[in-house]
Amino acid sequence: MKSNEKKTNLSDIGLDLPSVENFKFGIVVSEWNNNITNSLLNGALETLYNCKSKENNIDVIFVPGSFELPQAAELLARKNIYDAIICLGCIIQGETRHFEFISTAVANGIMKVSIKNGLPVVFGVLTTNNMEQAIDRSGGKHGNKGIEAAATAVKMVTNEKIN
Ligand code: DLZ
């Protein structure tokens, strides 16, 4: 696929990526809705391995919920050993405003960690109205956002104009 073609399913960007053999990745995974986040993790790992990443260059860290993703990402960033950090989570709308608070905090928190540390910290967090939408985006009819998150990390670490 050419870079200027319209992509209707962003999981396609995982098909044509450069090698990341010499880069180190941290993947932070929320245990909340772990049926979904495990699929996101599998998609992310598969993508990194397809780009020649080695197992010992990928650290996977689990946290209780998506709210903890920015906290863990910040602690990983401080180690100064990662080229990129990928955050994977799934926040599903409930009956209260909890969803909005967590989604906003996580998105802002991940951006802050990224800017503060000058490091790609990828937002691989599903924010859906229901479980069906989450299933569709974690290996279903709308692809796997874990693949897209890893592909984003690969593109960021290999972009010579920003590194
Ligand atoms: C508490 C909570 C709720 C209600 N829903 C979700 C969710 O849909 N997805 C998710 O990743 N985490 C959820 N959590 C847990 C919070 O992210 C967090 O772990 C707790 O509020 C403790 O800080």
Side-chain angles (χ1 to χ4, degrees), residues 30 32-33 64-68 90-92 98 102:
S30 163
W32 198 281
N33 297 315
S66 291
F67 192 74
E68 284 70 42
C90 172
I91 310 170
I92 299 181
H98 205 267
I102 294 185

Side-chain angles (χ1 to χ4, degrees), residues 61-72:
I61 296 95
F62 291 92
V63 294
S66 291
F67 192 74
E68 284 70 42
L69 290 170
Q71 302 164 36

Side-chain angles (χ1 to χ4, degrees), residues 3 81 104 107 114 123 131 137 143 160:
S3 61
I81 58 171
T104 306
S114 177
F123 182 75
M131 181 58 79
R137 289 159 179 78
E160 287 173 9

